[in-house]
Amino acid sequence: MSETFYVVPEAYHEALVAAAFRKRGFSQAEANAGVRLAADATRHGVRTHAGLKALHLDHAIGSTSGGCVPCAKIEKAPSRFKAAEVWNANRKHGQATAYAAIERAMKLADRYGVGMISVDNAFHYLWGGGYVMEAARRGYMAYTNCTAAVSEVVPYGGKFPTLGTNPHSWGFPTTDALGYPVVIDWATSVVAMGRVQQLAREGKPLPEGVALDIEGRPTTDPRKVRSLIPFGAHKGYSLSLIDEIVGAFIGGSLPTLRNRAPVPEGEKRTCTFFFQVWHPEAMNGRAFAKGRNQVENVRAVVRDILGHGNENAVLPGQNAAKFAARCDRNGGLLFSEAEILAFGEISAEIGTRPWALGDFKVAE
């Protein structure tokens, strides 16, 4: 049986989430960035990294504890590389920083074919897929990774969490070829911690083999989760390690100190971001089979992959596009009953009437 969703007008969501960020001292521009990513995540069915997660993360380790600094200014470090920039975010709002970085990377790609932004002293940007999707919508190929807010993942063969959930996000400009951008976005743990929090909110169990409790024993109770397991054994562990090593080259903190307190003298506790955007024209070999152009060749390659009896296979980003279309048909963002009730805590924080199920129609 499919889950029941309620249709929340986007203006309601924007007003509540923006007011919560403003209440915590963030600028209007930062609040707008937080709303933008939260709405885009919700619209595409990414319920683990939407507004509730953003505000929870900020409350737990962000503006209330110095992990994130409202209204901080980004500093650009000197560099001899014209297509690559290094930023010191000074613990600025993560979504505002990330949107600025992807925009700058696209401008660099317009000029040089490729643009790269490395960000040190950052606060978590939530859903990496949202930034690469934005670039893909506008005709670019894009990649981002980050070091996660805290170390929650046990390395393959280990027992103590010393890695983040460390996502990788890729976006491809395939709207002309397929009708939507292909977006490959995943945590390197079997499930993201946001998924654990979502299931706890919904009162549902975790699958087997994804998490450990405080004693290091497997658990399916999301309320007892202490650490997560990398997907694909050594393969997921290696992919998680990529984010940590990239972050180490940028200047990132030791994983077990990230957003923890106290921090030893001289050490750091901040995240890093890495963005790369490139223009499809910069990699166009202009020698496609049968005289196809770049878009036609992408379409032909995907058609071949999904042929031969694979017609029911799903491309990354396809389900997100379907969920977005469902939101559009219903005229708003879709939330579950548990999510509607959870937003009541945000309403209480800013002193407004909480949402009620009766305020909203049931989604078709």
Side-chain angles (χ1 to χ4, degrees):
M1 184 175 178
S2 62
E3 186 170 13
T4 298
F5 288 104
Y6 296 83
V7 183
V8 176
E10 195 155 347
Y12 281 41
H13 173 263
E14 177 180 352
L16 182 60
V17 175
F21 277 120
R22 293 288 284 147
K23 176 82 171 179
R24 300 178 189 189
F26 291 98
S27 70
Q28 188 61 56
E30 290 170 327
N32 291 345
V35 169
R36 178 182 175 186
L37 188 76
D40 216 20
T42 302
R43 184 178 299 106
H44 290 90
V46 186
R47 299 162 61 200
T48 58
H49 286 72
L52 289 171
K53 173 68 173 181
L55 292 168
H56 166 77
L57 193 67
D58 176 67
H59 179 75
I61 56 174
S63 61
T64 59
S65 62
C68 182
V69 179
C71 304
K73 302 297 183 184
I74 296 170
E75 298 175 284
K76 180 180 171 182
S79 174
R80 65 187 178 91
F81 301 105
K82 293 183 178 180
E85 296 182 1
V86 179
W87 295 2
N88 177 0
N90 287 310
R91 292 176 285 163
K92 185 178 177 63
H93 184 267
Q95 296 92 305
T97 302
Y99 277 125
I102 199 74
E103 289 289 339
R104 180 58 180 159
M106 285 188 278
K107 285 183 171 60
L108 291 171
D110 282 337
R111 185 170 184 181
Y112 302 109
V114 63
M116 187 177 91
I117 309 292
S118 301
V119 183
D120 195 12
N121 291 317
F123 185 69
H124 206 316
Y125 60 26
L126 274 296
W127 178 42
Y131 310 112
V132 297
M133 181 182 288
E134 177 63 23
R137 287 176 183 143
R138 291 158 61 179
Y140 302 89
M141 305 174 89
Y143 169 74
T144 183
N145 74 37
C146 68
T147 52
V150 292
S151 55
E152 298 169 317
V153 181
V154 175
Y156 179 67
K159 60 182 181 180
F160 187 84
T162 56
L163 298 165
T165 51
N166 294 359
H168 293 261
S169 306
W170 296 83
F172 297 91
T174 54
T175 300
D176 289 345
L178 305 175
Y180 53 89
V182 167
V183 176
I184 302 170
D185 172 70
W186 78 113
T188 47
S189 51
V190 182
V191 297
M193 190 58 77
R195 176 65 170 163
V196 175
Q197 293 165 346
Q198 178 198 344
L199 291 175
R201 185 167 55 242
E202 305 282 349
K204 297 176 181 177
L206 286 163
E208 297 277 356
V210 306
L212 306 175
D213 65 15
I214 196 169
E215 302 295 335
R217 298 172 301 200
T219 182
T220 59
D221 186 342
R223 298 165 300 177
K224 295 181 179 180
V225 172
R226 174 64 179 272
S227 59
L228 302 172
I229 298 171
F231 78 81
H234 62 285
K235 298 178 182 179
Y237 162 54
S238 299
L239 286 166
S240 181
L241 194 60
I242 289 172
D243 292 30
E244 298 293 353
I245 293 176
V246 168
F249 273 98
I250 294 171
S253 67
L254 303 183
T256 54
L257 298 182
R258 201 168 297 133
N259 283 300
R260 310 282 189 186
V263 176
E265 180 69 27
E267 287 288 358
K268 299 165 66 173
R269 63 173 190 156
T270 48
C271 304
T272 61
F273 304 158
F274 177 77
F275 293 88
Q276 192 167 39
V277 172
W278 59 105
H279 201 294
E281 186 180 345
M283 58 192 303
N284 189 335
R286 294 175 172 79
F288 302 109
K290 293 190 174 182
R292 292 190 287 262
N293 62 27
Q294 202 171 43
V295 170
E296 291 167 343
N297 204 54
V298 169
R299 187 183 297 119
V301 166
V302 172
R303 186 181 296 122
D304 188 49
I305 292 168
L306 298 183
H308 319 287
N310 298 328
E311 289 79 8
N312 291 328
V314 176
L315 290 171
Q318 186 173 341
N319 286 335
K322 288 181 179 178
F323 201 91
R326 186 181 178 190
C327 286
D328 290 343
R329 288 195 306 272
N330 281 278
L333 302 175
L334 307 188
F335 293 98
S336 70
E337 177 178 350
E339 289 168 329
I340 296 287
L341 296 177
F343 271 111
E345 296 179 16
I346 309 303
S347 297
E349 178 184 344
I350 62 175
T352 61
R353 184 180 75 83
W355 293 349
L357 295 179
D359 295 340
F360 311 113
K361 68 178 184 179
V362 175
E364 299 174 358

